[in-house]
Amino acid sequence: MKLNNPSLLWQTAFSIIARFAGVGLNFAVAIIITRTLPMNEAGMLFMLMTLVTGISLFSRVGVEQWLVREVAGLPEQGLAEAQLRHLYSAFRLLLITSFIFMLIWLAISPVVKRNLFDGDIHLGLLWVAALGIFFFNLVMTNSAFMKAAHHISESLLIQNALPAVCMMLVILLLWPFFPVYQNYLWIYTLSVVLAGLVSFYWLRAWLPSLKSRGAPITRQSVFQSSLPLAPVSYFAFMMLWADTLMTGWLLNNEDVALFTVAARLSFVSGFFLGALDATIYPRLLRMHKQNPEKLRKFFWQATLLVAVVLSVVTVIIAAVGKPVLAVFNEGYVQAATTLVILLLGQLVRGLGITFSFMFIIREQVRYLNGLLFVALLANLLANWLLIPQYGIEGAAMATLAANLLLTGGVIVFFFKNRLLSGYA
């Protein structure tokens, strides 16, 4: 099979370039953190960033998935007005759900302080970080809208580069305060607030027409449509980040720092996967609705492209792992074995991504949700068993085992349910 779709290849290439702009900036932020802060304090900041990202995701209740699915398949007639109608409707629901999860954050903060931060974090700074939930949701929703509107590079820049740029800018402006008295915690929160506000810059072409958007879709209707899509995002996130949370729960802040740096390096392949996702998924949706006769051929081209790109990236990163870890700090080289295991886990997960898309497109998400739930339980159990014995390498092994279970199950049910039947 030849990859003879130049549009797919070129769009993927531009997406990868945009993705790597974000990768480089995020690594720059991580290097500043690891070279400026002691390992235990770097671990606290990394854990806070993980929590804000995770709680924000849960508070979105699948809205960004709904937004991409609905907007990507809109007809050309009256397109701008329809796009704005969906975006405005998404914001109306997120305003409520974000507030609810911010209250939950405040309520559980004492428990989180004790169990995930070894009791070392200042509670007031943990409360302030609740603001990050709403503003991170603005970043992710605006990114999802640009993705659905086929502005792929802008979407990736908003999602990946913008938060890193804002954090670097705020660190630069407040550098004398950054390394002392846990100021790095509220500085991170301030950077998320800034990123949420700046993310509207890319929507400036739509915003003047906001008044002509038409009547919004009711919150109840959006919620009912988005909620079935939420578990896909929830479980995918937990599969990636449960190891960090379990490491914080079972080990200490230093181990969190080591594991997080290895995980971030392994996510370089994930960034490639994200670029492929942003390119492939909207095109599959549009073909399903408007050109179903082209979908089968495009699906297998995209699947081959994912396998080739991720395999090459995995081999390269594994080969240069130790020198790159040393850039963060010589102490982080001890995470080299963890990095290799995590890279294999990312590769296994990526091989099933196009198959997963078809469950969503064919409205058989319940199968995907079931598989994700089983894999998540397996991941948590494996972490519980392996981390006490093998430390951060045990957490990485748990990820690999869970991803093998997930990808294997996705492929089996893909063929069993004949998800490509009906396409030429």
Side-chain angles (χ1 to χ4, degrees), residues 63-73 144 147-148 281-282 285:
V63 166
E64 77 275 26
Q65 296 280 358
W66 169 83
L67 190 62
V68 172
R69 187 186 69 180
E70 296 299 317
V71 172
K147 175 181 176 181
Y281 184 41
L285 281 168

Side-chain angles (χ1 to χ4, degrees), residues 122-300:
H122 293 316
L123 191 59
L125 295 176
L126 191 56
W127 286 340
V128 170
L131 291 171
I133 296 172
F134 174 70
F135 287 95
F136 193 78
N137 281 345
L138 293 182
V139 172
M140 297 304 294
T141 304
N142 290 341
S143 172
F145 177 77
M146 296 302 290
K147 175 181 176 181
H150 300 281
H151 291 256
I152 306 299
S153 297
E154 294 95 324
S155 169
L156 293 170
L157 288 172
I158 294 171
Q159 180 178 342
N160 298 302
L162 179 60
V165 168
C166 289
M167 188 164 184
M168 292 183 72
L169 178 61
V170 175
I171 289 174
L172 178 64
L173 293 174
L174 301 172
W175 179 252
F177 303 97
F178 178 70
V180 295
Y181 303 120
Q182 297 189 3
N183 288 326
Y184 48 83
L185 299 174
W186 64 260
I187 285 174
Y188 163 69
T189 302
L190 179 60
S191 73
V192 177
V193 173
L194 179 62
L197 297 175
V198 174
S199 67
F200 283 97
Y201 171 79
W202 282 269
L203 275 67
R204 62 192 182 280
W206 284 269
L207 295 180
S209 305
L210 192 60
K211 293 182 179 180
S212 61
R213 66 183 182 274
I217 305 168
T218 64
R219 292 189 184 93
Q220 182 179 2
S221 178
V222 176
F223 181 74
Q224 289 175 344
S225 299
S226 67
L227 193 59
L229 301 173
V232 175
S233 298
Y234 292 168
F235 293 135
F237 172 85
M238 290 302 295
M239 287 286 290
L240 289 173
W241 295 106
D243 311 297
T244 302
L245 298 177
M246 293 293 288
T247 299
W249 188 281
L250 297 172
L251 300 176
N252 54 44
N253 290 329
E254 289 85 351
D255 291 310
V256 171
L258 287 169
F259 185 84
T260 300
V261 168
R264 282 174 178 260
L265 277 177
S266 74
F267 291 166
V268 170
S269 63
F271 285 123
F272 276 94
L273 183 61
L276 293 163
D277 173 347
T279 302
I280 294 167
Y281 184 41
R283 290 166 66 91
L284 279 173
L285 281 168
R286 185 172 291 274
M287 285 183 185
H288 168 68
K289 294 183 178 182
Q290 300 179 11
N291 304 105
E293 71 281 357
K294 298 181 180 180
L295 189 141
R296 179 185 291 269
K297 181 179 180 181
F298 177 79
F299 172 85
W300 289 117

